[in-house]
Amino acid sequence: MKSFSRRKFLQISSATFASAAALGTINHVTKGSKLFAGDKTKTGTYQVPTYCNLCFWKCGAIATVKDGKLWKIEGNPLDPLSNGRLCPRGTGGVGAYSDPTRLKSPLIRTGARGNESWKVVTWDEAFNYIADKLNTIKAKHGPEAVAYFSHGIGGNFIKHTFKAFGTPHIFAPSFAQCRGPREVGFELTFGDVIGSPERTDIKNTKCMALIGSHLGENMHNSQVQELSQAVENGASIIVVDPRFSIVAGKAKYYLPIKPGTDMALLLTWSNILIKEGLYDKEYSEKYGIGFEQFAAEVSQYTPEWAYTETGVEAKLIIESARELARYKPASFIHPGRHVTWYGNDAQRSRAIALLNALLGNWNHKGAFWQPTKMPIPPYPYPAYPEAVMPRADNPGKKYPWAGEEEGLTNGIREATITGNPYPIKSWVVYATNLMNALPNQQETLKAIQNLDLLVTIDVIPSEIAGYSDVVLPESTYLERYDDLHSSPFTTPFLGIRQPVIDSPDDQKPNWWIAKQLAGKLGLGHYFPWNDIEDYLKFRVDKAGLSYTELKEKGIILGAKKPVYIEEGVEEKFNTPSGKVEFYSTQLAEKGFDPIPKYEKPEEPPVGFMRLLFGRSPVHTFSMTQSNPILQDMIEENEVWINIDIAKQYGIKNGDYIKLKNQDGMVSNKVKVKATERIRTDCVFMTHGFGHQSKALFNTYQKGASDSHLVTKYKTDPIMGGTGMNINFVTIVREA
Amino acid sequence: MHELVNTRHNLQIDPHLHIWGWEIGVYLFLGGIVAGMMIISGFFIFTGRAKNPKCSCFWIPSIALIAISFGMGALFLDLEHKLYVWRMYTTFQWQSPMSWGAWILLLVYPVLIANMLLKLPEFIQNRFSFLKKISDTLNSKDSTMRMIGVISMVVGGFLGMYTGVLLSAFGARPLWNSSMLWILFLTSGLSSAAAFIHMAAHDVEERRMLAKADNTFLMFEFVVIILLIVGHLSSDLVHIESIKMLISGAYAPVFWVFVVGFGILIPLIIQLAAVNNKIRYTAIAPVMVIIGGLILRLVIVSAGQASNWSTSVFK
Amino acid sequence: MARYGMVIDTLKCVGCMDCVVACKTENEVPIGYNRDWISYETTGKFPSLHQEIRSERCNQCDNPPCVYCCPCGASHISETGGIVLVYEDKCSGCKACMAACPYGARYIHPEGFASKCTFCIHRVETGELPACVSVCPTYCMSFGDLDDPQSDVSKLLASRSNHSLIPEAGTKPQIYYLT
Ligand SMILES: Nc1nc2c(c(=O)[nH]1)N[C@H]1C(S)=C(S)[C@@H](COP(=O)(O)OP(=O)(O)OC[C@H]3O[C@@H](n4cnc5c(=O)[nH]c(N)nc54)[C@H](O)[C@@H]3O)O[C@H]1N2
Ligand SMILES: Nc1nc2c(c(=O)[nH]1)N[C@H]1C(S)=C(S)[C@@H](COP(=O)(O)OP(=O)(O)OC[C@H]3O[C@@H](n4cnc5c(=O)[nH]c(N)nc54)[C@H](O)[C@@H]3O)O[C@H]1N2
Ligand code: SF4
Ligand code: SF4
Ligand code: SF4
Ligand code: SF4
Ligand code: SF4
Ligand SMILES: [Mo]
């Protein structure tokens, strides 16, 4: 028998880069229809290496075009993030191209905001309109009155335009709605952040505890691949989740925790490690500061007490703590990623960091690695104008550890509503669906009413696009170049995104939009390069690498550097004390608990259950539900309800119900998944469904939107993140 | 507690198999009744009854010819790749009941035509002299006639059995997977054919004879149904689960009321009374038998598709 | 003669459906149809639950009723690897094969012919793995020659407990699930 090579050697010739002719209009996709109709006039197959944009992990990919049609997208075997294997969303990226709802041309609003009535305009008209408004706002209120929101690498060039414009207001939901608290918690403890991709060494671990992190549903590629290696290696997995997640099915210990009580568990685990002398004593003595206070503080948290708070049996808590200790330092508590849960998330993340400190595992093999990155010099742009006014998203540094780089999305929203500390008059939104990403849609709508200009740059008619004054259609990642990509990882590498196929309509890439808009704003000199390739080539050359090689291979690997203490990384902590801060003077100085404390979560009112949410493995947030291939996998979300509760309500698997939250907000109808796999005090659904934008016609109102029901949120006093797991819902039996 | 979630969503497969609708039920029914007609008319020919001027020997095969054509029409309607139907006749797959069936159906035509030729009505004889010639030759020798009668019964028998074997060969469908099924379909074909003929027969004696035969077939059919049920119930879990659909499950009302009640027992009682001259003969009972025969096929086709291995095993 | 089969590790599979998506693009499986799919089977009572996740497809049976019942000779056992394939231009769309398959592995393509997993024979013949196997981010699927004791699949079967699906139906399925 033939041997099966991992993949045939990539045959990528220079002909590869010949661009394919524009394809005809895209037909609506119905059941049984052929997605794959190609251009009959083209024959032959070519492949283009690029990197994926179905989420922010940026896996190296190779797209194949056959007879003029985009056929498939596979992983680039050279890429350390994907190892040649994409996640289902990346594989289904083909559907991002053929999405029947795609925006085709620039639009200017004609009806009331949110009416989704538009006139089609030329790019020039759109840019003139935007530039005119922006310049007026700048003249009247200053450049600070403009806020730019973006998520992902695609936003880089437009970000440059707005920095040149003079606004300090650059935002991404990845801080205050996602991983901000984690970065703050770890930074306060170890003096360093977790970062993205997470610096967790899952593949080498002997024992790992997951607090919520639902790997396998959360499909961040490298993490999932490593999870499988951990399973293969027989690592002990401890899963703490109110829901029997996919990874819970792989766990040695499953802790069915009561939502919102993780802190009790974490502090109790710490106490057990200390009490039983299982922690790395030498490590904490050598590298720690404030250990004694910490030990004294946590001594109050006993397993028996924790049982009453968390619902997790004391025996299970003790055994799992011992398991973690058994394998230290090749064991760790995963810091999670989406951690904006209860508004005390920075402290919970700190408790996680401290537990890791007890295991003495920072930068130790089997726990965390020290990221390495390919150094790529920046493009030498002119300096940006200095901001005149301080930022408006966090006036007076109310949240001392709010992110500077990604800003407080919710903070700027508040400033836009109140006009304090000064008015915000325009939002420019790139690749973030603020209606679904931010909690409390009513507040977002209120803020929007105060804007003179709302511009959305998207590939599909998202909800936020529906409320915009101008909508600009971007080419998908398969049709454009983007900025160079070199994530901090275990191996330094550089990746390139390049066009695989032409845009089907009048869509344009972000770099072109950025440059044109800058030109219209009189900021043309900030874009000294003519074409994106000039920019890319300049930087790659400057780094001493071959641009041709990069284009051909898609990935260039750098020399491997040590990433573990075991390989020679230094035990170094960038905290003020230069130590692992068991007791945080920094926090104490700002009036916060220097050592995390447990607070009881609010109980759901009678007849209500806590609303929890997470990921569907085949969808990304609210951006893939209209992708015909991914939609064909999962078309609508379900609400998970414990089977006994379902019985009480007389509802069955597959019934449609509605959910009503504590503020009377009622969801779309949603299918019930009556299951053993969740506690009785909460329900669960995957995020992103239940679209309200009519223009997303193939997914409009399919499933329910968690964002719609997250009317309440609790702001983390340390870093300003929005805890969103504090909403309660009840079942409405209609539909 | 057992939860089984499956992400497949294929048309005609999920949530359970439903590839065959009324077309196949009608086809199997018509195949069955034609088989019955062939056996009965073959029997008449064999026994020399065809010589009786009032014998239904011409019109049975003609009606059978029309019926089988409708049956094949229904089958054709069911095909998904219609232009490729001829592919059935470029091969003979001996393991495939359907291939057997396709070829048997081809045999049915010449046999029915031969039957018809044996007893050509006057007006056709007068019109087409060559037909008369053939008819005369066939009639000339008793042995030829008897031979045609035997062939008709044999081919009819095969046809009748095949309609059942077609389904029972599907091991994947526990409900169908019974060696009783071909007997059931054959008997039901016979009872429907007998009912049809005695309803339409001109000859009083023929009617009486066939009504009696019909009663026998119906009694036998009832016994076969009981045996089929018992056979399933004494088999493994999947077979038990599958037969439960008929005896107490979703298909039970139709099965007991229309197939067994109105299709077998009530007409049986009526016909028993009629042949014993307790009541006057009417067409009610035979119509019930025929409709019962059709419903039997529809129910078995439908319920069989719902029966499968996985759901029963995992319940 | 090779006998192709798959061995799938249910302990590693996360049920992400990447295999399903990959099959869809590689084989241009029309929207609304699946050649492969995932089964999630949970037993027990919360929180003591056990879950088995399986990526399922045509089991490429050794005793394939779908082949036997086909009146057109369209369904056949392939020369390469002893797997079950369909000649699309011989198929009449009678659906007997669908009725015969205990696994629901077949469907009628919108163009009328019966279709199902081919083990990506077009890839296998050029030395590649089937699309679903080659994308799986958990590396839980193995493909190879079950007749070769040195193949990965044979070694896995020899070393781990495993089961196939509904062997009671007598089709001799050739996809094995490691447990
Ligand atoms: N397929 C797919 N993968 C993705 C994404 C995507 O959109 N699609 N998005 C990516 C991004 S940006 C992020 S941030 C991550 C998010 O993925 P994670 O960081 O894994 O997100 P979590 O919020 O931890 O995941 C929700 C899980 O937490 C559980 N949970 C809810 N409340 C509690 C609680 O109080 N305590 C405990 N212990 N558990 C709780 C839920 O039951 C659920 O299983 O996913 C990433 N991966
Ligand atoms: N209720 C609730 N809120 C949440 C979360 C949750 O689980 N539940 N998760 C939180 C987390 S962890 C995160 S990271 C954020 C994510 O929040 P977002 O990043 O805002 O995610 P999406 O809602 O998917 O919005 C992304 C938008 O980008 C568009 N887009 C995709 N590709 C391109 C492109 O190439 N070019 C352009 N111009 N646009 C593109 C999509 O069409 C979509 O409209 O949401 C947070 N908010
Ligand atoms: S994790 Fe998946 S969606 Fe994200 S970049 Fe990688 S392949 Fe694409
Ligand atoms: S791709 Fe792999 S891990 Fe994902 S469902 Fe398929 S077999 Fe399981
Ligand atoms: S799984 Fe079904 S289709 Fe595949 S070979 Fe077996 S019986 Fe035939
Ligand atoms: S549908 Fe096609 S492949 Fe299937 S049994 Fe009929 S002819 Fe054969
Ligand atoms: S082997 Fe090929 S055809 Fe079969 S399920 Fe996998 S990808 Fe689809
Ligand atoms: Mo996130």
Side-chain angles (χ1 to χ4, degrees):
Chain A
M1 203 187 91
K2 282 188 199 112
S3 69
F4 295 98
S5 61
R6 278 263 301 278
R7 189 175 303 281
K8 270 191 300 184
F9 183 71
L10 312 172
Q11 307 137 336
I12 303 157
S13 65
S14 51
T16 295
F17 307 105
S19 65
L23 292 172
T25 46
I26 295 165
N27 299 321
H28 288 179
V29 182
T30 50
K31 201 166 172 86
S33 74
K34 277 192 130 178
L35 250 184
F36 307 91
D39 182 345
K40 292 260 156 55
T41 64
K42 300 252 178 296
T43 52
T45 302
Y46 65 87
Q47 293 190 313
V48 182
T50 183
Y51 61 86
C52 180
N53 196 44
L54 269 282
C55 83
F56 311 114
W57 206 255
K58 305 193 266 293
C59 299
I62 297 173
T64 308
V65 176
K66 184 172 74 180
D67 301 345
K69 75 187 176 181
L70 177 61
W71 177 23
K72 58 182 170 183
I73 307 172
E74 295 161 291
N76 185 340
L78 295 173
D79 168 43
L81 291 173
S82 71
N83 299 304
R85 297 184 176 218
L86 301 180
C87 90
R89 300 164 296 155
T91 309
V94 174
Y97 174 79
S98 57
D99 189 326
T101 70
R102 279 184 68 171
L103 294 167
K104 293 189 164 74
S105 43
L107 303 169
I108 291 185
R109 177 167 66 86
T110 54
R113 273 209 178 111
N115 260 6
E116 299 184 52
S117 45
W118 315 97
K119 68 171 186 241
V120 172
V121 296
T122 63
W123 279 95
D124 207 49
E125 287 171 287
F127 286 136
N128 283 337
Y129 183 94
I130 298 168
D132 192 44
K133 290 255 181 173
L134 284 179
N135 280 332
T136 313
I137 292 167
K138 188 179 193 173
K140 213 166 145 197
H141 303 280
E144 298 85 355
V146 176
Y148 175 62
F149 296 82
S150 82
H151 202 177
I153 198 165
N156 282 11
F157 293 105
I158 304 177
K159 191 181 287 178
H160 172 56
T161 302
F162 281 95
K163 283 186 177 168
F165 183 76
T167 179
H169 289 141
I170 311 283
F171 299 94
S174 45
F175 183 80
Q177 281 71 47
C178 181
R179 52 198 167 83
R182 172 190 90 179
E183 310 302 17
V184 170
F186 274 72
E187 176 118 51
L188 284 169
T189 310
F190 291 110
D192 203 354
V193 297
I194 294 297
S196 175
E198 279 78 20
R199 62 199 290 179
T200 47
D201 196 21
I202 301 174
K203 73 166 178 284
N204 292 311
T205 196
K206 300 215 169 84
C207 177
M208 149 175 89
L210 298 168
I211 314 295
S213 310
H214 53 334
L215 296 178
E217 291 159 283
N218 157 355
M219 279 309 290
H220 273 166
N221 198 347
S222 329
Q223 299 252 315
V224 176
Q225 295 198 10
E226 292 197 14
L227 169 69
S228 159
Q229 290 173 49
V231 170
E232 164 122 18
N233 298 341
S236 299
I237 298 171
I238 300 165
V239 170
V240 183
D241 199 312
R243 182 181 66 101
F244 191 80
S245 58
I246 289 289
V247 66
K250 325 246 170 245
K252 180 167 179 186
Y253 299 100
Y254 167 54
L255 281 56
I257 198 162
K258 176 174 169 184
T261 64
D262 297 83
M263 187 75 102
L265 173 72
L266 296 164
L267 296 172
T268 306
W269 268 350
S270 294
N271 185 26
I272 295 167
L273 294 188
I274 296 169
K275 274 247 163 72
E276 300 194 2
L278 301 170
Y279 71 109
D280 190 332
K281 200 158 176 241
E282 200 188 314
Y283 187 90
S284 61
E285 274 166 11
K286 203 158 157 200
Y287 304 113
I289 186 165
F291 176 80
E292 302 311 325
Q293 286 120 301
F294 177 66
E297 172 72 26
V298 299
S299 65
Q300 59 182 303
Y301 302 115
T302 65
E304 293 68 31
W305 164 84
Y307 168 66
T308 61
E309 291 302 313
T310 63
V312 181
E313 282 168 33
K315 189 168 148 259
L316 203 50
I317 297 176
I318 296 167
E319 275 178 24
S320 49
R322 289 177 184 161
E323 187 83 358
L324 278 163
R326 183 168 308 139
Y327 298 109
K328 71 174 186 296
S331 63
F332 70 103
I333 325 301
H334 194 290
R337 183 173 176 105
H338 173 239
V339 289
T340 47
W341 287 353
Y342 297 96
N344 60 349
D345 307 304
Q347 286 286 20
R348 187 182 65 252
S349 295
R350 214 176 106 68
I352 291 174
L354 290 169
L355 253 169
N356 282 307
L358 290 178
L359 298 169
N361 64 13
W362 192 242
N363 291 342
H364 280 268
K365 190 167 179 176
F368 297 94
W369 35 262
Q370 168 76 56
T372 60
K373 198 174 163 175
M374 193 89 120
I376 308 293
Y379 195 91
Y381 288 129
Y384 298 124
E386 285 283 323
V388 188
M389 288 188 277
R391 291 168 59 136
D393 56 321
N394 187 18
K397 298 239 178 217
K398 182 169 165 205
Y399 305 107
W401 280 275
E404 285 290 319
E405 185 57 23
E406 292 145 304
L408 281 186
T409 42
N410 41 309
I412 199 73
R413 179 177 72 179
E414 199 177 318
T416 311
I417 295 172
T418 60
N420 283 326
Y422 50 83
I424 303 296
K425 286 296 170 192
S426 174
W427 288 6
V428 177
V429 182
Y430 175 90
T432 167
N433 190 356
L434 294 180
M435 288 306 295
N436 286 325
L438 301 183
N440 194 332
Q441 297 181 332
Q442 294 314 310
E443 282 185 33
T444 309
L445 289 177
K446 239 197 249 166
I448 289 174
Q449 294 317 315
N450 288 345
L451 296 175
D452 292 344
L453 177 68
L454 173 54
V455 180
T456 294
I457 303 143
D458 208 306
V459 289
I460 51 168
S462 63
E463 276 70 19
I464 189 72
Y467 285 96
S468 300
D469 305 315
V470 186
V471 179
L472 301 178
E474 206 198 352
S475 306
T476 67
Y477 72 109
L478 295 160
E479 302 147 15
R480 67 182 197 231
Y481 285 100
D482 251 316
D483 209 347
L484 295 167
H485 149 52
S486 77
S487 294
F489 204 57
T490 46
T491 312
F493 69 95
L494 179 64
I496 187 170
R497 177 174 290 154
Q498 45 190 346
V500 175
I501 195 161
D502 282 355
S503 288
D505 299 288
D506 199 12
Q507 298 94 347
K508 298 285 181 194
N510 62 67
W511 63 267
W512 184 87
I513 297 171
K515 190 169 154 68
Q516 297 299 310
L517 184 59
K520 291 280 180 190
L521 289 167
L523 303 167
H525 58 288
Y526 276 94
F527 286 83
W529 40 269
N530 277 323
D531 185 81
I532 174 96
E533 286 210 74
D534 301 339
Y535 163 93
L536 296 172
K537 190 165 179 322
F538 180 94
R539 287 187 66 196
V540 177
D541 287 350
K542 205 76 195 263
L545 301 169
S546 157
Y547 184 61
T548 326
E549 186 190 346
L550 182 61
K551 285 192 59 124
E552 278 182 16
K553 292 184 175 165
I555 298 278
I556 294 181
L557 294 176
K560 196 141 174 33
K561 290 182 203 141
V563 295
Y564 306 120
I565 304 290
E566 289 80 355
E567 291 176 351
V569 169
E570 244 184 292
E571 296 267 22
K572 219 179 94 200
F573 306 95
N574 235 337
T575 51
S577 61
K579 302 230 159 179
V580 180
E581 302 204 338
F582 284 97
Y583 178 97
S584 175
T585 315
Q586 294 189 77
L587 282 175
E589 276 168 3
K590 300 275 179 191
F592 299 108
D593 294 330
I595 293 163
K597 280 195 163 62
Y598 175 68
E599 301 161 40
K600 260 185 195 301
E602 193 189 340
E603 290 288 329
V606 178
F608 281 75
M609 289 162 283
R610 191 179 293 272
L611 172 68
L612 304 180
F613 41 82
R615 305 289 175 241
S616 159
V618 294
H619 285 285
T620 301
F621 313 121
S622 72
M623 71 190 215
T624 53
Q625 290 72 26
S626 59
N627 171 320
I629 293 179
L630 298 178
Q631 177 175 78
D632 197 29
M633 300 298 122
I634 294 178
E635 193 176 12
E636 58 187 312
N637 61 353
E638 301 170 312
V639 57
W640 295 40
I641 300 176
N642 179 282
I643 193 154
D644 296 333
I645 299 287
K647 271 186 201 138
Q648 279 174 28
Y649 280 88
I651 47 186
K652 293 189 310 292
N653 229 348
D655 284 357
Y656 280 92
I657 58 159
K658 289 185 176 184
L659 296 173
K660 186 161 99 182
N661 82 353
Q662 71 283 336
D663 297 325
M665 192 61 84
V666 181
S667 74
N668 275 347
K669 64 177 186 153
V670 57
K671 221 186 224 177
V672 170
K673 178 186 170 85
T675 177
E676 284 287 351
R677 290 177 54 193
I678 190 164
R679 285 174 61 96
T680 51
D681 52 4
C682 50
V683 302
F684 173 85
M685 62 169 81
T686 53
H687 172 60
F689 287 88
H691 281 282
Q692 293 301 325
S693 164
K694 292 194 193 71
L696 291 171
F697 59 88
N698 66 353
T699 185
Y700 176 63
Q701 290 198 335
K702 284 186 187 166
S705 164
D706 58 335
S707 309
H708 193 66
L709 295 169
V710 176
T711 49
K712 215 165 85 179
Y713 62 95
K714 195 165 161 197
T715 310
D716 191 309
I718 295 179
M719 49 66 69
T722 54
M724 301 194 273
N725 289 12
I726 59 165
N727 291 270
F728 303 114
V729 293
T730 184
I731 291 165
V732 184
R733 291 225 49 196
E734 54 175 303
Chain B
M1 184 56 212
H2 191 173
E3 287 174 33
L4 182 63
V5 177
N6 180 322
T7 67
R8 190 180 62 207
H9 49 249
N10 285 339
L11 280 173
Q12 302 184 318
I13 288 282
D14 298 305
H16 64 71
L17 189 78
H18 52 288
I19 48 176
W20 289 331
W22 63 269
E23 296 91 343
I24 296 297
V26 165
Y27 159 68
L28 293 177
F29 166 71
L30 291 174
I33 196 167
V34 167
M37 287 173 170
M38 289 177 80
I39 293 169
I40 292 167
S41 82
F43 178 75
F44 285 173
I45 293 165
F46 178 76
T47 53
R49 261 195 68 79
K51 291 198 179 114
N52 179 339
K54 281 192 179 162
C55 175
S56 18
C57 280
F58 173 74
W59 65 260
I60 303 177
S62 351
I63 288 189
L65 201 68
I66 298 168
I68 200 71
S69 302
F70 271 105
M72 285 185 73
L75 182 62
F76 181 72
L77 278 185
D78 176 72
L79 293 185
E80 306 278 352
H81 219 199
K82 295 194 172 53
L83 293 178
Y84 290 74
V85 59
W86 56 277
R87 282 298 196 178
M88 297 210 183
Y89 297 105
T90 58
T91 179
F92 172 66
Q93 299 288 328
W94 67 272
Q95 283 170 301
S96 161
M98 209 179 253
S99 188
W100 280 94
W103 288 104
I104 289 175
L105 282 172
L106 279 199
L107 276 183
V108 165
Y109 279 87
V111 174
L112 284 175
I113 289 167
N115 281 8
M116 287 162 72
L117 284 173
L118 276 180
K119 217 167 168 324
L120 273 183
E122 291 284 308
F123 72 95
I124 296 183
Q125 293 202 11
N126 298 339
R127 274 259 186 90
F128 306 96
S129 55
F130 74 100
L131 289 181
K132 181 172 157 42
K133 245 184 236 154
I134 305 175
S135 178
D136 288 346
T137 338
L138 292 179
N139 276 308
S140 63
K141 265 203 221 157
D142 252 19
S143 61
T144 319
M145 266 182 77
R146 292 169 82 90
M147 176 83 98
I148 291 175
V150 170
I151 292 177
S152 183
M153 284 192 284
V154 170
V155 172
F158 270 120
L159 178 62
M161 291 189 310
Y162 144 73
T163 60
V165 171
L166 173 69
L167 297 186
S168 66
F170 290 118
R173 307 294 142 206
L175 181 67
W176 294 342
N177 193 216
S178 158
S179 50
M180 280 291 136
L181 202 65
W182 69 266
I183 310 180
L184 176 61
F185 278 15
L186 181 62
T187 329
S188 166
L190 278 166
S191 70
S192 299
F196 185 81
I197 301 169
H198 74 72
M199 179 176 78
H202 295 291
D203 187 297
V204 181
E205 197 205 328
E206 194 176 299
R207 173 192 296 168
R208 269 184 65 88
M209 187 176 101
L210 283 168
K212 273 191 185 160
D214 198 11
N215 288 347
T216 318
F217 295 144
L218 287 174
M219 283 187 263
F220 190 65
E221 195 181 335
F222 183 71
V223 173
V224 173
I225 285 181
I226 299 301
L227 288 177
L228 183 131
I229 291 174
V230 171
H232 267 76
L233 285 177
S234 55
S235 178
D236 55 25
L237 189 68
V238 275
H239 287 85
I240 296 172
E241 289 288 333
S242 75
I243 200 70
K244 274 192 191 157
M245 290 194 296
L246 285 191
I247 53 183
S248 57
Y251 293 87
V254 194
F255 179 71
W256 291 119
V257 175
F258 290 100
V259 176
V260 178
F262 291 129
I264 299 177
L265 298 180
I266 297 178
L268 182 61
I269 294 165
I270 297 176
Q271 281 177 180
L272 279 174
V275 293
N276 293 318
N277 294 323
K278 299 257 168 45
I279 54 171
R280 216 161 55 84
Y281 183 85
T282 63
I284 292 176
V287 166
M288 287 171 86
V289 171
I290 293 167
I291 295 176
L294 174 62
I295 296 177
L296 169 73
R297 306 310 194 289
L298 293 172
V299 167
I300 296 286
V301 167
S302 179
Q305 294 180 75
S307 79
N308 61 55
W309 283 76
S310 36
T311 48
S312 332
V313 168
F314 291 136
K315 214 174 270 169
Chain C
M1 267 293 283
R3 182 47 173 108
Y4 293 149
M6 277 188 193
V7 175
I8 303 178
D9 190 342
T10 62
L11 300 184
K12 286 196 210 165
C13 175
V14 293
C16 68
M17 295 173 85
D18 203 0
C19 44
V20 186
V21 182
C23 183
K24 180 132 297 203
T25 57
E26 174 72 30
N27 297 303
E28 308 189 355
V29 178
I31 293 295
Y33 295 85
N34 296 119
R35 282 189 182 185
D36 54 347
W37 60 90
I38 312 300
S39 282
Y40 309 81
E41 208 179 328
T42 314
T43 44
K45 181 92 193 140
F46 187 85
S48 306
L49 297 170
H50 177 264
Q51 183 163 56
E52 180 173 303
I53 309 173
R54 296 184 301 263
S55 169
E56 300 180 359
R57 61 191 50 58
C58 165
N59 283 285
Q60 305 292 3
C61 306
D62 243 358
N63 188 29
C66 55
V67 170
Y68 305 150
C69 75
C70 176
C72 301
S75 283
H76 63 284
I77 298 173
S78 153
E79 300 265 317
T80 21
I83 62 173
V84 173
L85 297 174
V86 181
Y87 296 121
E88 291 166 6
D89 58 357
K90 281 193 183 177
C91 170
S92 65
C94 72
K95 296 170 282 190
C97 52
M98 291 167 75
C101 172
Y103 308 99
R106 290 176 170 240
Y107 58 90
I108 294 291
H109 189 279
E111 282 169 20
F113 51 82
S115 190
K116 67 169 194 69
C117 165
T118 59
F119 261 3
C120 282
I121 199 74
H122 64 290
R123 288 172 63 99
V124 172
E125 279 170 347
T126 66
E128 288 178 294
L129 289 168
C132 51
V133 177
S134 82
V135 295
C136 174
T138 67
Y139 297 79
C140 73
M141 285 196 258
S142 308
F143 175 85
D145 183 1
L146 293 166
D147 280 352
D148 172 6
Q150 292 312 309
S151 67
D152 289 352
V153 280
S154 299
K155 284 187 195 153
L156 280 169
L157 284 184
S159 64
R160 297 263 306 266
S161 64
N162 62 78
H163 67 91
S164 58
L165 296 182
I166 331 178
E168 307 86 344
T171 62
K172 299 203 184 138
Q174 295 304 312
I175 295 184
Y176 298 89
Y177 294 91
L178 303 177
T179 54

